[in-house]
Amino acid sequence: MHNEERHLGDCLASLAGLADEIVVLDDGSTDETVAIARAAGARVEHRPFDDFGRQKQAALELTRGEWVLSIDADERVTPRLAEEVRAVVAAEGGPSGYWVRRELVYLGARLRYGGTRADWVLRLARRGAARFAPLPVHEHIEVDGRTARLRGTLLHLKYRSLSEHLATMDRYTTMIADAKRARGRRFHAWHVLRIGWELFARLVLRLGVLDGRAGVLHAAMASFYAFLKYAKLWPDAGAGAAAAGSGATESGR
């Protein structure tokens, strides 16, 4: 993680009494991130950032326990989820991994519609059966064996302003476009239609309009995001953003 002093303290507090060890992998923070982590009892390791998949895999390999819970600085373990995790770790046998639903808090408002309630992420896994997919962004855990779902949730605190969201979106779409380009993907005119379709699907079909101002803004930004990661495949369209995006090091997405 990088410069997460705003989020890290509350994140680690939500893990109190839950983990035998907490590993924080820092990529050169210049704020109080490392001090906050150590004050909370975490073991801090360092690794230069290359991409999110490799960074998360490196963090996984630093852990020692039988079970691992992957969490970003802008996420919080709810009490119900913590209780379930304790039960899973104490039990014998069972699945190799567990999916957790994230509840999105966007611009200070908790979203319930627009597709946000379908955000299931695999975060709890047996260390020996787990690995991170080697993706530059939107990395995720893969496990060998059966998986199941937990009922407790993770809170995902996203963005205090649209400017912050736009800056992160620019970095991530550059990384995604670079990966698509390496696989031979190209921009097509019909990709423009993704904006309208995504907006309609989120606001109308998935009732995002019921989340009010925050829901409408989130749907609009998500629709532009869906288009931008393809628009940057247009020759030279992403060249200016590429230099700015090459320094992406945030852990919270």
Side-chain angles (χ1 to χ4, degrees):
M1 63 180 58
H2 184 81
N3 288 352
E4 289 286 1
E5 65 179 8
R6 175 161 62 97
H7 288 299
L8 187 58
D10 288 340
C11 173
L12 297 181
S14 76
L15 299 173
L18 182 61
D20 293 329
E21 69 165 357
I22 298 175
V23 177
V24 171
L25 185 58
D26 185 75
D27 68 357
S29 293
T30 56
D31 63 0
E32 295 300 310
T33 294
V34 171
I36 291 171
R38 287 177 174 157
R43 172 161 58 95
V44 179
E45 303 287 350
H46 302 275
R47 181 182 185 274
F49 180 87
D50 45 12
D51 65 40
F52 289 109
R54 291 187 178 93
Q55 201 77 351
K56 289 291 184 70
Q57 180 61 33
L60 175 63
E61 293 172 0
L62 289 168
T63 62
R64 301 164 181 157
E66 179 184 357
W67 288 91
V68 292
L69 175 67
S70 176
I71 184 169
D72 288 335
D74 61 357
E75 296 172 335
R76 310 287 181 265
V77 174
T78 60
R80 183 175 184 180
L81 178 59
E83 182 178 337
E84 285 187 282
V85 171
R86 292 188 188 97
V88 166
V89 172
E92 297 290 337
S96 297
Y98 289 87
W99 297 83
V100 179
R101 186 173 64 81
R102 290 194 297 186
E103 294 187 358
L104 179 61
V105 179
Y106 181 72
L107 302 180
R110 186 174 299 194
L111 303 188
R112 303 183 184 280
Y113 301 98
T116 58
R117 291 185 67 84
D119 186 18
W120 285 89
V121 289
L122 203 163
R123 291 301 184 84
L124 179 65
R126 296 183 187 274
R127 181 170 57 88
R131 62 192 169 278
F132 274 90
L135 300 174
V137 67
H138 298 318
E139 73 296 333
H140 56 271
I141 295 178
E142 299 175 336
V143 299
D144 299 320
R146 184 166 58 94
T147 63
R149 290 187 174 188
L150 298 177
R151 295 185 178 183
T153 59
L154 274 175
L155 289 183
H156 194 196
L157 311 181
K158 294 296 292 179
Y159 311 120
R160 293 183 299 181
S161 67
L162 290 180
S163 295
E164 182 184 351
H165 192 173
L166 282 167
T168 301
M169 187 164 64
D170 184 35
R171 289 191 293 268
Y172 289 175
T173 52
T174 295
M175 297 172 73
I176 293 171
D178 287 345
K180 289 181 180 297
R181 186 178 296 106
R183 298 196 303 270
R185 301 290 297 275
R186 295 292 181 266
F187 175 81
H188 299 284
W190 60 264
H191 282 134
V192 175
L193 301 177
R194 291 185 65 94
I195 298 178
W197 167 248
E198 287 281 346
L199 193 60
F200 175 76
R202 289 178 179 273
L203 288 180
V204 180
L205 299 183
R206 298 177 180 176
L207 304 178
V209 68
L210 296 181
D211 278 324
R213 168 183 169 273
V216 172
L217 290 173
H218 181 265
M221 297 290 278
S223 302
F224 184 55
Y225 180 93
F227 165 70
L228 193 59
K229 61 187 180 183
Y230 288 97
K232 287 185 177 181
L233 294 175
W234 203 328
D236 300 326
S246 64
T249 52
E250 280 80 357
S251 66
R253 281 152 287 161

